[in-house]
Amino acid sequence: MSFELPKLPYAHDALEPHIDEKTMKIHHGKHHQGYTDKLNDAIDGTDMEGKTIENILINLDMENKAVRNNGGGYYNHSLFWEVMSPNGGGNPSGELAAAINSAFGSFEDFKEKFATAAKTQFGSGWAWLCVHKGGKVDVCSTPNQDNPLMPGIGCGGTPILGLDVWEHAYYLNYQNRRPDYVEAFFNVINWEEVGSRYEKNK
Ligand code: MN3
């Protein structure tokens, strides 16, 4: 049983004008497909075959660059599509909102911290909102396709919101203006999904 490219939960043009159709088509159909195929090649015939992606990443040998890069790429993009929605934006609610207020002071302070993590990640990488066991949330960024599930990476805990800041995620529409892309992302965040991931992983 190998990993399959997950279907996008909306049409390629559904996140316009914030994320454009052409970027979504290439990002999902080429980049994410590529990570998926290479992950399958990398685990073929090993004891990682048949395990969940979370299990593989939590127990990862960080020297295994093929699984680190492609398993990270597979997981990160699978999360990324799910935490966006054409009906997104607005604010979190319920327990997640309380945890964000408790960790950062306010939703506005969280936004600033998350945006700064995304804008200042040097080169390719991701910004994350993670939840630790017990319910505390934290923001961090990681290079390349690393993520906080991997041993010793980022703020630890389970990612519940991720933002791809590789140039392939925004360059067609925003060119070098990463800060504009980061600001636009807040208009498509699916807080219902992020909140449900918070409750499952707290
Ligand atoms: Mn990407």
Side-chain angles (χ1 to χ4, degrees):
M1 170 80 193
S2 54
F3 290 103
E4 283 177 23
L5 180 69
K7 282 202 162 49
L8 269 189
Y10 35 75
H12 290 104
D13 63 356
L15 302 179
E16 294 212 4
H18 309 295
I19 301 181
D20 65 286
E21 178 179 16
K22 191 170 182 192
T23 296
M24 287 300 291
K25 279 188 172 158
I26 298 170
H27 201 177
H28 178 256
K30 303 289 183 197
H31 291 277
H32 198 184
Q33 183 72 63
Y35 295 122
T36 306
D37 294 343
K38 288 178 191 155
L39 169 63
N40 285 329
D41 289 346
I43 64 172
D44 186 32
T46 74
D47 62 1
M48 288 178 271
E49 222 179 333
K51 294 195 170 149
T52 66
I53 188 62
E54 289 84 357
N55 191 306
I56 289 172
L57 297 182
I58 287 166
N59 297 296
L60 184 64
D61 167 8
M62 296 300 279
E63 295 304 313
N64 187 336
K65 295 289 165 57
V67 177
R68 180 175 177 176
N69 292 333
N70 296 297
Y74 176 80
Y75 173 90
N76 296 347
H77 291 86
S78 301
L79 173 72
F80 187 47
W81 314 133
E82 295 286 333
V83 297
M84 296 190 287
S85 162
N87 306 311
N91 295 18
S93 60
E95 286 184 42
L96 174 59
I100 285 176
N101 290 338
S102 161
F104 306 108
S106 69
F107 180 61
E108 287 308 313
D109 288 322
F110 154 74
K111 275 178 76 173
E112 195 181 324
K113 190 161 184 202
F114 185 87
T116 300
K119 291 172 193 171
T120 58
Q121 168 60 42
F122 182 75
S124 297
W126 291 75
W128 304 104
L129 174 65
C130 292
V131 59
H132 299 276
K133 286 291 168 206
K136 188 178 179 298
V137 289
D138 213 349
V139 160
C140 64
S141 65
T142 57
N144 305 315
Q145 297 296 353
D146 286 357
N147 71 50
L149 287 181
M150 297 172 180
I153 295 296
C155 47
T158 305
I160 56 174
L161 174 68
L163 173 57
D164 188 342
V165 295
W166 284 57
E167 282 188 344
H168 70 225
Y170 63 86
Y171 205 86
L172 290 178
N173 197 24
Y174 294 95
Q175 292 80 49
N176 61 326
R177 301 188 309 278
R178 187 193 287 186
D180 292 354
Y181 161 71
V182 171
E183 291 306 320
F185 176 66
F186 288 104
N187 295 311
V188 294
I189 296 177
N190 182 349
W191 283 113
E192 203 173 313
E193 175 66 23
V194 181
S196 114
R197 285 171 186 265
Y198 174 81
E199 286 173 33
K200 274 184 216 136
N201 292 289
K202 71 182 177 182

